[in-house]
Amino acid sequence: MFMSKYETTHKKIIDAAITSFNQKTEKEITVTDIIKLAQIHHSTFYRHFNSFDDLIREMFESTMPDENLEQYSFSDSINILVKFVEDNFVFFRNLLKNRGKFDIIFRYFFQKNIFKNNETFAANELIYRGTVGMLEGWLENSDRINKDDVIHYLILLMRN
């Protein structure tokens, strides 16, 4: 399939961002790092993305599982979510450490895939905050918290 120059450059920026976030470095990842890796200019970056947050959102979407999680139960959705985080562990750990955008990304994910229309705002917010807190704890303390515990407690949270 033929891609226009715009589409090719757009993909190049996203790929450079994913590469940056998947590197095992502790440094803050910036637009400058990404444009250097993509070999583009700042103005080109901002023709494609209004902000770094927009890039992060699209980068997350491009790595997300293709399946629609609304068709699954909460526990199955949580298993898929935790597997997704595990498969992209360095990406999420760096996202959490570098940009503090973990909350934005997961709010989007939850709104799109997990929140059910019949829940109240308060219920959704509590479930969401508890889930993000547990995932952050796991990402920051993976040597002391294992995946199975995360899944177990997230499912308990969802049931209450």
Side-chain angles (χ1 to χ4, degrees):
M1 183 173 139
F2 175 75
M3 289 176 63
S4 70
K5 183 176 179 182
Y6 181 90
E7 293 168 326
T8 302
T9 302
H10 196 83
K11 182 176 177 354
K12 191 176 176 181
I13 296 168
I14 291 170
D15 290 346
I18 290 170
T19 298
S20 294
F21 275 86
N22 277 321
Q23 291 174 344
K24 295 182 180 186
T25 63
E26 300 278 331
K27 71 180 185 85
E28 183 166 325
I29 297 164
T30 65
V31 170
T32 302
D33 297 327
I34 292 166
I35 66 167
K36 283 180 184 175
L37 191 59
Q39 298 177 335
I40 60 168
H41 293 96
H42 269 90
S43 60
T44 303
F45 176 89
Y46 288 107
R47 263 186 250 128
H48 288 264
F49 299 96
N50 291 328
S51 68
F52 196 78
D53 291 350
D54 288 344
L55 170 63
I56 291 172
R57 206 170 291 111
E58 194 164 329
M59 187 173 63
F60 179 77
E61 287 175 11
S62 73
T63 61
M64 260 178 68
D66 290 334
E67 51 198 317
N68 180 357
L69 297 182
E70 286 183 352
Q71 65 188 343
Y72 297 104
S73 68
F74 268 139
S75 60
D76 289 341
S77 296
I78 291 304
N79 277 296
I80 292 167
L81 170 65
V82 171
K83 175 77 171 125
F84 174 55
V85 172
E86 180 182 44
D87 290 347
N88 299 281
F89 201 84
V90 174
F91 170 80
F92 284 106
R93 189 181 62 221
N94 282 338
L95 183 63
L96 178 65
K97 286 182 179 180
N98 288 294
R99 296 298 300 172
K101 301 300 181 190
F102 191 82
D103 187 66
I104 292 169
I105 298 297
F106 271 85
R107 184 168 299 279
Y108 173 80
F109 177 86
F110 264 70
Q111 288 171 343
K112 185 174 178 185
N113 295 294
I114 296 180
F115 285 155
K116 304 298 181 196
N117 293 331
N118 59 347
E119 296 291 332
T120 66
F121 173 79
N124 284 342
E125 190 66 17
L126 290 171
I127 290 168
Y128 169 74
R129 293 275 175 200
T131 302
V132 168
M134 282 189 239
L135 290 172
E136 284 178 335
W138 178 38
L139 289 167
E140 292 172 348
N141 302 289
S142 60
D143 56 328
R144 294 179 292 184
I145 300 172
N146 69 50
K147 177 181 94 171
D148 293 333
D149 287 340
V150 172
I151 291 170
H152 172 77
Y153 289 111
L154 285 175
I155 292 171
L156 285 177
L157 173 71
M158 296 295 180
R159 287 189 181 144
N160 292 325

